[in-house]
Amino acid sequence: MATKHEQILQYIDKLPIGSKISVRQIAKDLDVSEGTAYRAIKEAETQGYVSTIERVGTVRIEKKQKENIERLTFAEVVNIVDGHVLGGREGLHKTLNKFVIGAMQLEAMMRYIDAGSLLLVGNRYQAHKIALQQGAAVLITGGFDTSEEVKQLADRLALPIISSSYDTFTVAAMINRAIYDRLIKKEIVMVEDILKPLAETPVLLPTDPVAKWHQYTELYHDTRFPVVDEQMRLIGIVTSKDIIGHDQTASIDKVMTKNPITTSPRVSVASSAHTMVWEGIELLPVVDNYRKLVGVLSRNDVLKALQYTAKQPQMSETFPNLIMSHFREERQGEDIVYTGEVTPQMTNHLGTIASGIMTTVIAEVGCNLLRIHRKGDMVPENITVYFLKPVQMESRIHVRPRLLDISRRFGKVEVSVYQGEQMVGQAMVTAQIIDR
């Protein structure tokens, strides 16, 4: 039987998109305490199908799928551009498909506007009105207002009309930046994307006999199974090592490993892989905030995911990518040297290379060298850096990595940084190697 918490989550999930949600109303409708209702609403918000929108309230929204993550809701746009809503608040939960800059004649502009668009335009009331009639929201730049007629139309159509004090160029750049950040997130595979769900996960109860574990091994061709109570809360895990030497009639709770290491659905696969390698485990249970089992993650699942992401084209660049794009890799005999220039963006307020930038370069160079000797993902474990001399803006530096030690799981690299013939920095990088 479902708990009150689960009943509330199921109730919220069945609400129509755009429905208002309140703690008091849910407590009244489902005959639960307001505290229970509040916790369930927060859980639904964490899971991504409820959103709290300023001056509107808590609303049932459509859960964003992984492939849809680059899209923004109009409520998010309001926050991004520091805007305020002039009308159409009921539509803030809706998602925009594209934005159009209204810097042309009205007739030409309307050819580019369709339902789900966001028109960026100044104080052109007629453009505001026609855009709303065509199913698009409106963002008025320059801090301008609009007519009462347009505001009433926006309310009637539940299409937001937003005003921002920024100019059109700045607003477009801010929205682009937000979409760009979403694309970076899209490349990061999360545990929830690859886990084996609970419906496909065989579980054991603490009262089950060891004989049932033997039946499961033959049936599922596996030797590792999570142990749950009647509420599906994780209480242990059983592997072949736990079973050795125990009678078939012994109960699972007498042989299981209690309080096993777990992960959360919203943790990155890379982080979970690090945990599995470090702890030497093959199966990682995935639990929610209430320690209820959501599914399991196996080492094979992790390896497949890392292989898949390695083959994907780069959709956007992170800061380490951008920093390393200024460095050129050269071979000098058997050594590899990275040469680059300290650009103004890499400096601190004194005009010398920032310590964070230097550390990033050292870590990337060290991990690159390890990748040459061992295929896989490198996760830096420890970096000890000595900054010997300040490096001025527009200086040319040479970064020389030297392999000290490498094993199946770990690698150690010494990295020296030179400006001309003078050493300006040195570091020791230790990284964990996650096989693909």
Side-chain angles (χ1 to χ4, degrees):
M1 182 179 173
T3 62
K4 288 183 178 180
H5 180 83
E6 290 168 333
Q7 289 172 7
I8 299 169
L9 288 175
Q10 291 165 6
Y11 171 81
I12 295 171
D13 192 33
K14 291 175 183 175
L15 290 174
I17 304 299
S19 300
K20 293 277 189 69
I21 298 169
S22 77
V23 170
R24 187 170 297 174
Q25 191 61 45
I26 284 184
K28 182 180 176 184
D29 291 348
L30 300 183
D31 192 25
V32 296
S33 71
E34 291 191 1
T36 303
Y38 174 80
R39 286 190 293 274
I41 290 171
K42 284 299 174 187
E43 174 73 12
E45 197 167 347
T46 301
Q47 293 181 17
Y49 57 91
V50 163
S51 178
T52 301
I53 301 169
E54 190 178 356
R55 295 190 293 274
V56 172
T58 304
V59 181
R60 170 74 169 92
I61 62 170
E62 187 173 2
K63 188 172 182 179
K64 290 181 186 176
Q65 300 302 315
K66 191 76 172 177
E67 62 272 12
N68 237 20
I69 198 170
E70 67 272 23
R71 295 186 180 178
L72 301 167
T73 63
F74 294 119
E76 289 171 314
V77 171
V78 174
N79 290 330
I80 290 163
V81 302
D82 295 329
H84 62 277
V85 183
L86 303 177
R89 290 184 183 279
E90 297 294 329
L92 282 172
H93 68 279
K94 294 177 180 176
T95 303
L96 71 120
N97 298 320
K98 64 177 182 179
F99 67 89
V100 179
I101 298 175
M104 57 193 84
Q105 291 293 331
L106 195 60
E107 296 76 17
M109 188 193 308
M110 291 306 129
R111 290 205 301 269
Y112 297 94
I113 298 173
D114 48 30
S117 300
L118 175 67
L119 175 65
L120 310 187
V121 69
N123 55 341
R124 299 169 65 181
Y125 295 173
Q126 194 62 19
H128 304 166
K129 182 178 178 181
I130 295 175
L132 290 170
Q133 289 170 340
Q134 293 192 200
V138 179
L139 200 164
I140 307 170
T141 57
F144 293 109
D145 203 341
T146 190
S147 67
E148 284 302 317
E149 179 191 3
V150 170
K151 291 178 185 178
Q152 290 170 11
L153 178 63
D155 288 337
R156 194 161 63 250
L157 297 175
L159 286 169
I161 186 156
I162 304 160
S163 178
S164 173
S165 58
Y166 295 110
D167 60 79
T168 303
F169 175 82
T170 303
V171 164
M174 290 167 114
I175 296 174
N176 261 330
R177 178 72 254 178
I179 293 173
Y180 187 81
D181 288 345
R182 291 296 182 88
L183 290 174
I184 292 173
K185 289 181 184 178
K186 184 175 180 179
E187 294 175 4
I188 301 171
V189 181
M190 309 301 283
V191 167
E192 66 182 357
D193 299 320
I194 66 165
L195 62 77
K196 182 188 290 184
L198 185 58
E200 300 172 19
T201 303
V203 298
L204 290 166
L205 296 173
T207 52
D208 287 334
V210 167
K212 192 165 185 178
W213 176 88
H214 288 286
Q215 292 170 10
Y216 272 24
T217 58
E218 292 179 14
L219 185 61
Y220 298 107
H221 306 290
D222 203 347
T223 59
R224 304 169 186 86
F225 304 103
V227 184
V228 297
D229 63 16
E230 292 179 355
Q231 282 77 45
M232 295 306 292
R233 286 191 295 262
L234 182 76
I235 57 173
I237 194 165
V238 175
T239 70
S240 54
K241 286 188 287 188
D242 299 315
I243 296 298
I244 293 171
H246 289 280
D247 190 84
Q248 297 239 8
T249 58
S251 60
I252 290 294
D253 64 337
K254 297 292 191 295
V255 302
M256 68 183 184
T257 299
K258 297 178 181 178
N259 301 317
I261 296 166
T262 63
T263 189
S264 161
R266 293 299 299 161
V267 169
S268 72
V269 169
S271 175
S272 295
H274 180 278
T275 300
M276 294 176 86
V277 171
W278 183 258
E279 299 291 345
I281 54 180
E282 299 283 337
L283 189 76
L284 195 58
V286 184
V287 297
D288 65 13
N289 294 338
Y290 299 91
R291 207 166 172 78
K292 285 198 172 187
L293 189 67
V294 175
V296 293
L297 192 65
S298 70
R299 187 175 288 207
N300 283 341
D301 296 330
V302 170
L303 294 178
K304 285 177 185 175
L306 294 176
Q307 287 168 355
Y308 173 79
T309 51
K311 294 173 184 175
Q312 296 305 297
Q314 278 295 107
M315 299 176 66
S316 54
E317 291 194 286
T318 58
F319 284 127
N321 298 142
L322 293 169
I323 292 166
M324 293 309 295
S325 68
H326 294 282
F327 286 81
R328 187 178 72 256
E329 183 183 309
E330 300 173 340
R331 281 206 171 266
Q332 295 182 0
E334 294 184 358
D335 297 330
I336 296 175
V337 179
Y338 293 80
T339 303
E341 186 176 288
V342 179
T343 65
Q345 293 92 339
M346 295 182 187
T347 59
N348 55 27
H349 67 287
L350 299 174
T352 60
I353 189 168
S355 57
I357 299 293
M358 177 84 93
T359 305
T360 298
V361 171
I362 286 167
E364 291 293 309
V365 166
C367 289
N368 284 347
L369 182 64
L370 291 174
R371 285 188 195 98
I372 293 171
H373 292 84
R374 177 91 70 241
K375 287 184 179 178
D377 286 297
M378 306 298 157
V379 181
E381 290 256 318
N382 184 57
I383 304 174
T384 305
V385 185
Y386 295 94
F387 301 97
L388 305 178
K389 300 261 184 195
V391 181
Q392 297 297 319
M393 184 192 311
E394 297 180 349
S395 299
R396 198 157 197 79
I397 58 175
H398 311 282
V399 187
R400 301 174 184 271
R402 183 169 68 90
L403 184 67
L404 297 179
D405 187 29
I406 192 165
S407 65
R408 190 168 66 86
R409 289 188 178 179
F410 295 95
K412 190 179 290 184
V413 179
E414 180 187 75
V415 181
S416 302
V417 184
Y418 292 86
Q419 182 182 350
E421 297 299 318
Q422 188 174 37
M423 184 184 288
V424 294
Q426 193 164 39
M428 182 80 73
V429 180
T430 305
Q432 185 182 135
I433 302 167
I434 302 173
D435 289 331
R436 284 184 177 153

